Amino acid sequence: MSQTNISYKQPLLETPFHEKTREKCYAHDWHKWAGYKVVKQYTSAELEYTAIRNTAGVIDITPMHKYSVQGKDAKKFINKLITRNIDNIQPNQVVYALWCNEDGFLVDDGTVFCFDENNFRICSGERNLNWFEDTAIGFDVTIEDISHSIAALAFQGPLSCKILHMLNANKIENLKPFCFDQFTINNQEITISRTGFSGDLGYELWCDPSQAHEVWDALFSFNKDYKILAAGLDALDMVRVEAGFIVVNADLIAAEHALRPNRMRTPYELGLAWMVNLDKEFFTGKEALIKQKNKGVEKKLIGLDVQGDKPAVGSVLYDGSKKEIGIVTTAMWSPTLKSNIAMGYVNKEFIKLGSKILAEIYHPEELEYRKIWAQCKVVKKQFLNLERRNAVPALI
Amino acid sequence: MNNKQYDVAIVGGGHNGLTTACYLAKSGLKIIVVEQHDYVGGAAVSKELYPGWTYSNCSYVCSLLRPEIFRDLELSKFGLQIIPYEGSATMLNDGRFYAHYNDHDLTYRSIAQFSKRDAEAYDRFSRDVMRQCKIIKPLLKMTPPDPTSFAPKDVMGLFEFAKYFVAKDELGGLGEKEIYDTIRFWTMSVRDYLEEYFESDVVKAHLAGSAIIGTALGPYSPGSAYVLLHHYMGEVDGTIGAWGYSRGGMGSITQAMSKSFQAKGGEIKAGSPVSKILIKNNRSYGLVLKNGDEIYANKIVSNLDVKRTFLKVVEQKQLPEDFYLAVKNFKIRGSSGKLNIALDELPVWKSIPVGDPAGTGDLHITQSIEEMEGAYDDWKDGKWSSYPYVDMCIPSINDPTMAPQGKHYMSVFIQYVPYNLANGGWTQEKRKEFGKHVMSRIGNYSKNFNDIIKHAEIRTPKELEDEVGLTEGNIFQGELTMDQLMFNRPIPGYAQYKTPIKNLYMCGSSTHPGGGVMGAPGANAAREILRDLNKKIESHYI
Amino acid sequence: MSKYDVIIIGGGHNGLVCASYLSKKGYKILILEKNEKLGGLVNCASSLNGFSSKILGDLNIKLPKLNYNSYIVALHSEQQHTILQENNNKINFIKSNANEENQKKFSSLINKYKIYASTLSNFMYEVPPRLKSGKSKDTWQLINMGWKIRKLGKKNMREFLRVIGLNIADDLEDNLRDNTLMGLLSHEAILGSNLGPRSPGSILSLLYKQAIQNGLFASEKYDFHQLIPSLEKNCLDQGVEIKNNANVKKIITTNNQATGVILDNEEKIEAGIIISNADPKTTYFDLLGTEPLDTDFIRRAKNIRTKGNIAKLTITLKENPLIINIEKEKMNAKFIYAPDINYIERAFNASKYNKYNENLCFEFHHCVNVIVANIYYVPYVKNNTHDKEKLIQHSINLLKPFISNLEIENAELITPNEIEETYNVMGGHWHHGDFEIDQMLMMRPFYGSAQYTTPIKNLYLCSAGTHPGGGITGINGRNAAKKIIRDKI
C-alpha cells in the first residue's frame, strides 16, 4: 500500500489482508491502528478469544511498526538502544526489548529480530524512527521504516503448530520460542517466528504484501476439520491481559508522547526489572535506572485478583483506611481463569504479593453506575501460565 | 451641554472595552462605552462593503477568545457561534500542497509525503508546544506581578508564577528539563526552535507562519517562537490549538458582547470620538467628546492602545516625564496588510483538490522559512514583501451568512507590509499596486482566482490606523517581543492595568496578555477595577 | 598508576588558566595542544581587555602594562570620521559629527548599560546553579542571583528586565540621532554573534561584553602578545607539562568514566581527570563519540548553535598605512566601519542565508605595515564553498576607500570554516556557540552539561562553550578548575 498517495476521502490505509478480513468482519466493527483500518471484532470478541485459547486465532498485525537496522554497527547500536544485552544473540533469534530515555522512562517496547551480526529488524507498537535515528548518530547503521512493505499475521492458539505442520512447514514443531526461520507454506516462502502476544502457543507470520492472500487462505484451508477464527483486537487484548503483558498507551504513556511528565514509567515501575541489564557498558537511561534501582520505586505495576465479577475498569485503589494508593490501568473478567483480574499501579507499601487493597468500582447497570467496594489481592501479573506456550517440540 | 455622571466610562468599544464593560455592568455599576464610530467592535467587525457580502475586514479568525469569557458574558445567548476549521494547508510552487487535517492519521501521511521523520516529529513537537500552552493558559488570566515590588499582592503573584516551577514533579509541576524547555521556548527564534524538530522546509514554513502573523519579527528573530503560542493556544470547544470562524464574521463577537452589555443595563454612546480625558490633581474624572460634550465618571478605562491613550487623549503635562518617554518608545509597528475579496465562485486551486477539507481552513502561501525571513527583510527596508507570507481563508464555505448563495468571501492576511513606505509613503496608487501584487501572487496558485474577483478591499497598516485607530496599524496594540510582555507590557511598572493617573485604567491589547481577540486584557482589567471598588461578581473567569 | 592526574585537551587560554589553578593544588597536569602554537583562538583575537584581572591576580601573573591611549575611529564613507577615546570610564569625543546632546546621550546610554552589566558580572565567577536540582545549594544561589538583580533598585531593575529582551537598534533609535554613533555601538553589540542590530537580545550581548570588559572603548591595558607566553610560563613553572603538535583523536572511557586519551599517532595517555578545552560539540561528537551518551543528551548537543560569522584578514603593505583624514598620531587606533544600523542589518541579512553581502562591516588595527581586520558577516558555510580569492579581493575593496596608500604585498584570510579546521571549533564560532538567552548561564552549552561537567565521570569542559561564554576572559578555565577541585575534595 503506497503511503504517498493520500486522499482526505480515505483517512485510513487498508492492510494487504483487508479484502480477507472484510469478508469475515460481519460486525463491521473497525479500529484505527497506526493509520490502518483493522478489525476490532469480527463477530464477537468472546468467540474469537475462545478460538485463541481453544483452537487458534488469526490476527492481522500488519500495522505494527517495523524497522530494518543494517550496517556494521547494527548490534552496537541496538545494545545502546535497549536495556537488555544482546551481545550473545544468534541469527534467527528474537528478543523482547525495552528502550528508555535518559531519565529511564520507557520510550517503547518491541521485539528485535537478528538476521545476522549486521542485519536486524525491530518491531514496535509506537513510531520510533526519530528515536532510533537520533540514537544512531555516530553509528554506522542505516535505519529504514519498512512497516508498509511487510505484511504480518499473528497465529495464536493450541492448534497453531499443528496447522502449520499440516501446511508442511518443515519441522515447525522444533522451532523454539523466540526463534524464527524461513518456511514454505502454500508455495509461499515466508518468515515465521515463534512469538506472540497471547501467552499461548503461537506464531507470527511475516511476508511480502503480495503473498498476503495466499498465506491467509492457507491458514484457513483446514477449517472444515478444525475451526479456527479470525480474531480482532479486542480478543487480542483479552489474551494479553491474561498473560500479563503491558501495552504502551494503556498501561503507561510513552516518554516521547507524555504531555504530563508524571505519566511516564520506568521498567522497574512496570515490574520489568529482569529486562534491565545494568552490567552492560552503556545504554540510554542506564545512569537513571541505576539510581532508581538503588533508591527503589515509589509505585509499581502489579496484578490484582479482584473479588466478585465486576471488572474494575478505571478504578481507584485504596488501602484499608480508604486512603488512595493507586489506580487500575487494565481490568477484565478472565473467561479461562474464571477470575476477575486487573493490572494497576500501587504505592510501594503494597507491591508485595498477597497485599490486600480495595478497589472502588463503578459498575454500569442499566444506565446507572453502581459503586462497589471490592477486596483485591496483589498477585503475579502473569495470571495465566500455559505449559504449551514454551514446549519444545511444540504441540502438533 | 449634555453631562451625566457614570461609575465607569470606557473609551473605545472594541472587544476588550466591551468585555470590561460587561463584567463591570454585571456588578451593577453604571457604565458607558464611548465609541468613535457609529458601530462598536474596533477591529472585530463585520462590514458590508460590497452589497450582499459580509467582510470580517480586520481580524478574521476566532480561536483565542477565552471560553470563560464566552460563558460569563453568555455570548451564545446573544448570537455568537464559532465554527471550527476543518484543516489548513500550505500551497507550494511545484504544485504540491502540505495539509493539516483534523484527522491525525491523515495529517501524519500528509507530512510523511515530505518527510517521514517530520511526520513523526510533529507529534513530539505538538506535545512540547501543548506543554507550553498548559503553562501559559493560567498566566493569561493573571495580572502580571511586579517583580520589583515587595507588596504582598506582587510577591504572591510571583509565587503563583513560580508555582509550576517549584511544585514537585509528582504533583504535576514541571521537571527540571521542562523548565529549561520553557525558557528556551520563550526566548528562541521560531526557526531555531523548529529546526530542532524538523528537516523539511515546508513543514517548518507551515508551522512558522503563526509565529510571524502581526509581529515585526522575522522567523529568525529571537523571541519569535513564543508568538507561535499566541496562535497555538487557541481553543474551540476545549480542543487546544483549534481555530474557528465566528458565524456572521468577527463582528458577531462584538455584537454579542454589546448585546450582553446592554442587557445588563450598560449604555453605548456610538459616533462619539473622545478628544480628551479630563484630569485634575492627577485624577481622571471625565471625558470630552469631539463635539464638546462632557461625560463624567468616577473611573475611566481606555481601550485605546497605550500610545493613542497617552499621546492623543491625555495631555502630556498630566504625565510623569519618564512615563511619557516610555510611552513614546513603546514599540507598535504595523507589519500586516489585509485584502477582503468578494468572489463570484469558489476559487479552484492548482494544488488542493476541490472538496478537500484542507482547502476550507486557512491556506498559506509560502515556500520556506527563508522566504518568510526574506519577506521580513523587505519590510525592514520599508518595502512591502516581494514574496509576502499570505494567510487566506474563505469563511463563506462553512458560514452561510457571509456571501450570497454560490458566491464567496475570502479574507487574505499579508505579512509583511510597512506602515511607512521608504520611498515616499502610501498613496492611492501604491495601495492599489500593493493589492495587485498580492492578488497576482494568489493568482499564481489558482486556476480561476483572477477571473472571479468582484470586489476587493485593500488595507495597509495605514488604513488600519485611520479606521480602527490602532497606532501604526499594529494588530496587537504593541509588539509581542520579550521587552513588551508580561510585567513589561505595556510599560514596566504599569503592567497591572493601572496608569500614573488615578482612576484611569487600560484594558486594550496593549496590556497583558496582548492581542488576538482574546478578551483577556479586558477581563483582567475588569478584575482590577472591581477589586479597587471592592466589588465581587459571580464569574468563571474572574 | 598513570603519570598524570589531569589531561587538558587544548592549549587555549582557558586550558592554560585551568591548568594553572589546578596545578596550584598539586595536580600533575599534561596539556595537549593540536597546533604548533599555544593559544587557540587567542591567535585570532586582537584585544585583551576582557581578560579577568582577578585571574591574573590569583595566578600572580604580571603582564607588562601598556601605557598609551589609543583611539576608536568610526569610519565614515565620506571620510567624516568620528574619533573618540575612553579614559577612566569617560568617553571623550575628539571629533564627531554628532551634536553635543547626542554625544552626551551616547555616553549616558553606555553608562546605563554599565550598571546592568555590573549585575551580570556578579554571576560570572560562579558555577551556574541548576534550576530544579532539589539541592538547597542551587536554590540559595538562585535566590542570591535574584537578590542581586533586585538590588538594582526599582527603576533600574525594570529597565534591566526590559532591555535584556530588547534589540540594540530600538534603544539607540529611541535615544540617539547620529548614524555613526548608532553604528558604532551596534557593532560592539553584535560582533561575534549571530544577531543583527534589530535582533532581540542584541542588548544582552552588549551587556555581556561590558560585564567582562573594563570599558567598551578603553585602550589596551596589556600587551596582547604576552598573555599566552605568560600563562605558559606560569604553567611550566608549576610543573605542568605541555605537549604541542599533539592532536587528541579520542577520549577513552571505561564504565562511563574517562580514563585517558589517544593521540593521532595512536599514543595512549592515561589520567584520572580529562578536561576538554575544545568546544562542546567537538568534545561530544568527535573526541568522545556518541556511544556513551544518552539519546536525549545527543539531541541537545546537536542543537547548540555554533555558526561563525567573522573572517579574519591580514594584509601586509609596502609601507605603514595612511587613513584618509586621520592624523598620523591618531593612527594608533581601532578603526571600525559599521556606518549605520541599516547597513549592518543588511550585511546581517545576507548571512542568515549563508551568503555574504557586497557591503560588509569590519574593524581593523595596524601594527607597522600589517593590517589585521575582522570582516563580518562572513558566514560559516557547509563544505566551505566560499570563493576565497574573491572574498579577499572583496575585503580589500572594502578597505580601499579609507586607506590612501593601499599597496599590498601579501593578503591572507581565514574564513569561519578555516577557524573550525585550525582550532577545532565547530562552526568556527568565536565564542564556541551563540550567546543568546537559551545558551547562557545554566543553559550553556545545554542542560545536562552546564556545570562544566559531562555525563562521563571525570570528564570536564572548560572552553568558551561553557558559562560565562566566549571572549578572552579565562573565567571558564578558572570556574572549571574550581568545580573540579570542589568535586574531588
Side-chain angles (χ1 to χ4, degrees), chain C residues 376-431:
Chain C
Y376 67 98
Y377 299 82
V378 178
Y380 173 85
V381 282
K382 268 194 191 131
N383 310 325
N384 200 5
T385 47
H386 283 310
D387 180 344
K388 211 165 135 185
E389 283 314 306
K390 225 168 108 187
L391 189 54
I392 291 177
Q393 197 48 51
H394 201 89
S395 308
I396 291 169
N397 289 346
L398 287 167
L399 297 173
K400 214 176 239 164
F402 303 104
I403 303 174
S404 54
N405 58 343
L406 197 71
E407 285 178 65
I408 294 165
E409 288 203 320
N410 183 34
E412 265 177 62
L413 184 126
I414 313 174
T415 63
N417 292 71
E418 286 155 325
I419 293 180
E420 171 179 82
E421 177 82 358
T422 315
Y423 301 108
N424 246 2
V425 178
M426 231 176 244
H429 199 295
W430 270 18
H431 305 312

Side-chain angles (χ1 to χ4, degrees), chain B residues 209-357:
Chain B
S210 31
I212 62 159
I213 286 180
T215 76
L217 293 175
Y220 285 49
S221 306
S224 52
Y226 161 80
V227 189
L228 198 68
L229 205 58
H230 250 256
H231 297 265
Y232 240 86
M233 64 197 165
E235 221 172 326
V236 174
D237 295 333
T239 312
I240 295 182
W243 288 31
Y245 303 115
S246 155
R247 192 173 194 266
M250 292 300 278
S252 303
I253 298 175
T254 46
Q255 282 307 313
M257 285 175 169
S258 82
K259 281 183 201 149
S260 170
F261 174 54
Q262 282 164 326
K264 293 172 182 67
E267 195 181 319
I268 294 176
K269 195 171 171 63
S272 311
V274 171
S275 63
K276 203 168 104 179
I277 292 175
L278 291 166
I279 296 162
K280 204 159 101 191
N281 296 334
N282 201 33
R283 240 169 234 281
S284 65
Y285 65 94
L287 308 168
V288 184
L289 305 184
K290 265 241 165 79
N291 63 9
D293 285 359
E294 295 188 357
I295 291 171
Y296 303 116
N298 297 335
K299 291 194 183 294
I300 309 289
V301 187
S302 172
N303 183 24
L304 313 180
D305 69 66
V306 64
K307 273 200 152 161
R308 203 173 163 90
T309 305
F310 293 102
L311 304 181
K312 296 266 169 67
V313 291
V314 173
E315 291 167 300
Q316 185 183 346
K317 65 173 188 208
Q318 306 286 3
L319 297 169
E321 205 194 319
D322 288 5
F323 182 79
Y324 179 78
L325 266 180
V327 171
K328 263 186 82 176
N329 290 339
F330 184 71
K331 310 292 175 253
I332 180 163
R333 294 175 168 136
S335 59
S336 327
K338 181 88 197 283
L339 256 54
N340 293 295
I341 305 174
L343 297 172
D344 228 352
E345 53 186 81
L346 199 60
V348 177
W349 304 110
K350 287 181 181 165
S351 50
I352 307 174
V354 177
D356 192 319

Side-chain angles (χ1 to χ4, degrees), chain A residues 228-244:
Chain A
I228 64 165
L229 285 183
L233 293 185
D234 278 359
L236 184 63
D237 197 55
M238 291 169 77
V239 289
R240 75 98 185 167
V241 177
E242 286 178 340

Side-chain angles (χ1 to χ4, degrees), chain A residues 80 102 134-135 137 285 287, chain C residues 290 293-296 299-300:
Chain A
K80 179 186 171 178
E102 63 178 339
D134 292 347
T135 305
I137 292 173
E287 280 300 303
Chain C
T290 53
L293 297 173
D294 286 331
T295 306
D296 317 66
R299 276 184 179 164
R300 291 196 293 272

Side-chain angles (χ1 to χ4, degrees), chain C residues 302-322:
Chain C
K302 208 177 72 177
N303 289 336
I304 322 174
R305 300 185 302 279
T306 58
K307 190 178 104 176
N309 248 331
I310 303 176
K312 189 184 177 182
L313 175 74
T314 312
I315 42 183
T316 314
L317 303 180
K318 281 220 169 95
E319 48 193 89
N320 291 4
L322 294 168

Side-chain angles (χ1 to χ4, degrees), chain B residues 118-176:
Chain B
D118 287 0
E120 206 177 300
Y122 180 71
D123 283 350
R124 194 157 49 93
F125 169 80
S126 304
R127 188 267 314 254
D128 289 350
V129 175
M130 200 63 74
R131 260 190 200 159
Q132 299 306 326
C133 289
K134 273 169 60 91
I135 293 167
I136 196 158
K137 244 176 77 178
L139 299 184
L140 297 176
K141 278 170 63 171
M142 167 175 176
T143 296
D146 181 351
T148 67
S149 154
F150 286 102
K153 190 182 84 172
D154 292 310
V155 176
M156 285 308 287
L158 278 178
F159 180 75
E160 191 74 8
F161 183 72
K163 204 169 66 181
Y164 298 99
F165 303 104
V166 180
K168 285 216 171 103
D169 299 4
E170 303 88 70
L171 299 175
L174 292 172
E176 187 171 14

Side-chain angles (χ1 to χ4, degrees), chain C residues 90-150:
Chain C
K90 205 174 158 305
I91 291 167
N92 297 321
F93 285 88
I94 316 282
K95 199 170 148 247
S96 169
N97 304 320
N99 61 23
E100 206 161 304
E101 196 202 337
N102 264 284
Q103 298 185 3
K104 251 196 192 143
K105 278 197 167 162
F106 181 76
S107 300
S108 73
L109 202 56
I110 289 176
N111 287 334
K112 174 178 97 173
Y113 293 153
K114 203 174 280 168
I115 298 170
Y116 311 147
S118 66
T119 300
L120 284 183
S121 65
N122 283 320
F123 311 144
M124 296 279 172
Y125 290 94
E126 292 172 9
V127 176
R130 279 173 52 186
L131 284 179
K132 201 179 178 182
S133 62
K135 290 189 186 115
S136 59
K137 190 188 142 282
D138 284 333
T139 314
W140 277 113
Q141 207 182 338
L142 283 169
I143 291 171
N144 194 14
M145 284 170 85
W147 185 246
K148 278 184 177 139
I149 295 175
R150 275 217 156 177

